Amino acid sequence: MRFMILLVCSLLVLLPVPMYAHHAFDAEFDRELPIEFEGNVTLVQWANPHARVYVDVVDENGDTANWNLELSSPNTYMRQGWSKNTLKEGDFVEVTGWRARNAPHVGNVGTIMKEDGQELFTRRGRGD
């Protein structure tokens, strides 16, 4: 009997356990650097741990920057009724959120609003 208990305990310790590391919002993004812009969606990545949307933004000089925008997990949005097809390449959107501390044109989304006024992926200032 002791052997069985030892065996079971050993297996539990030795079995690979997935590590779920997650960065803190404040480690990567800055709440003091809000972003607000509009542009066209170039890519939607619907994958864990974070969905991502890429948006081409034209600045006042006519230069285009492709913003890499982090969202929450796809599961969060699927529970709200969104899917990987909610946004499509070419959609015109307005974005609010927060800029990354150490990377230009990288941000964390607060809201994305489609041209028809439909508001998507809302965090309302939580930034997590």
Side-chain angles (χ1 to χ4, degrees):
M1 182 69 172
R2 268 193 248 172
F3 175 76
M4 288 300 290
I5 293 172
L6 181 59
L7 179 64
V8 169
C9 289
S10 297
L11 286 174
L12 288 174
V13 170
L14 296 175
L15 287 174
V17 178
M19 298 301 290
Y20 294 103
H22 191 269
H23 63 89
F25 175 88
D26 292 322
E28 188 170 351
F29 303 100
D30 190 337
R31 294 175 199 277
E32 302 300 317
L33 296 173
I35 56 174
E36 188 173 329
F37 53 75
E38 55 188 38
N40 289 13
V41 174
T42 60
L43 178 66
V44 177
Q45 291 180 328
W46 200 254
N48 285 317
H50 295 280
R52 291 192 174 275
V53 174
Y54 294 81
V55 177
D56 272 350
V57 178
V58 180
D59 69 16
E60 60 278 350
N61 298 323
D63 297 323
T64 301
N66 188 251
W67 277 79
N68 171 350
L69 302 167
E70 179 179 285
L71 298 160
S72 199
S73 74
N75 188 40
T76 298
Y77 299 120
M78 290 187 312
R79 287 192 308 254
Q80 295 174 12
W82 311 126
S83 76
K84 63 182 177 182
N85 298 314
T86 300
L87 279 180
K88 295 179 184 66
E89 186 176 321
D91 283 352
F92 183 81
V93 292
E94 294 178 20
V95 176
T96 65
W98 304 270
R99 209 190 86 187
R101 291 180 180 278
N102 300 314
H105 308 117
V106 175
N108 186 282
V109 169
T111 60
I112 294 180
M113 187 176 302
K114 291 177 75 170
E115 199 166 15
D116 65 4
Q118 183 182 24
E119 194 171 80
L120 311 172
F121 311 124
T122 302
R123 291 202 201 167
R124 296 261 181 234
R126 285 186 51 215
D128 54 9

